[in-house]
Amino acid sequence: ALLYRGRMAALTLLHARLVITILLFFGALSLWGFVNYLRGSGVTGGYKGALAIGELLVIAEFLIGLIMFIAGARPFRPSIHILYGIVALITVPGAFAYTRGRDGRWEQLIYVTVCLFLCGIALRSLTTGRP
């Protein structure tokens, strides 16, 4: 039982820290993308790569949360917390499908908006975790 609690505490800490990483990462992507937009640039290959890394962070966060949920851990507001996780998981792929992979200036602004939205989702998920 003590080993189980130790592992669960480590997962809880990782889950809590990873959401901060996601918040900061997508905040940086928002700034980067907005600067690109103001310069008249579209979505660059580096920016698309960074979006993919951000999505991998979200996938890792989701999987850790799923493992914790299956193991019996429950957030403060489970249904809302799970909803935020699912929305975060599908947002970047949804934006890519919406833009059909185009990389113009307008698409850059769409990705900036998506990144800001994910910052909001990360902030809100913090309030639905543990009280």
Side-chain angles (χ1 to χ4, degrees):
L2 186 60
L3 182 62
Y4 171 78
R5 274 190 263 158
R7 286 184 181 162
M8 190 58 70
L11 281 178
T12 302
L13 181 64
L14 181 60
H15 192 65
R17 296 302 185 252
L18 192 52
V19 74
I20 301 297
T21 303
I22 289 168
L23 173 62
L24 295 173
F25 192 83
F26 280 105
L29 280 179
S30 299
L31 291 174
W32 179 14
F34 193 61
V35 168
N36 280 351
Y37 175 78
L38 290 176
R39 289 179 163 174
S41 176
V43 183
T44 63
Y47 193 81
K48 283 183 180 179
L51 284 169
I53 291 169
E55 182 65 17
L56 289 174
L57 289 171
V58 171
I59 290 169
E61 178 78 347
F62 184 83
L63 290 175
I64 292 167
L66 183 63
I67 290 167
M68 290 170 55
F69 192 82
I70 290 170
R74 297 293 182 264
F76 177 58
R77 296 178 62 192
S79 58
I80 298 297
H81 195 77
I82 292 166
L83 176 66
Y84 289 151
I86 292 169
V87 167
L89 192 64
I90 65 173
T91 299
V92 171
F96 186 79
Y98 177 76
T99 63
R100 296 184 185 147
R102 293 186 302 261
D103 56 5
R105 187 169 186 248
W106 176 248
E107 287 77 19
Q108 180 65 69
L109 191 58
I110 290 171
Y111 284 117
V112 168
T113 305
V114 162
C115 289
L116 287 172
F117 174 75
L118 285 169
C119 287
I121 290 290
L123 281 171
R124 288 294 300 151
S125 70
L126 287 170
T127 65
T128 61
R130 285 281 172 210

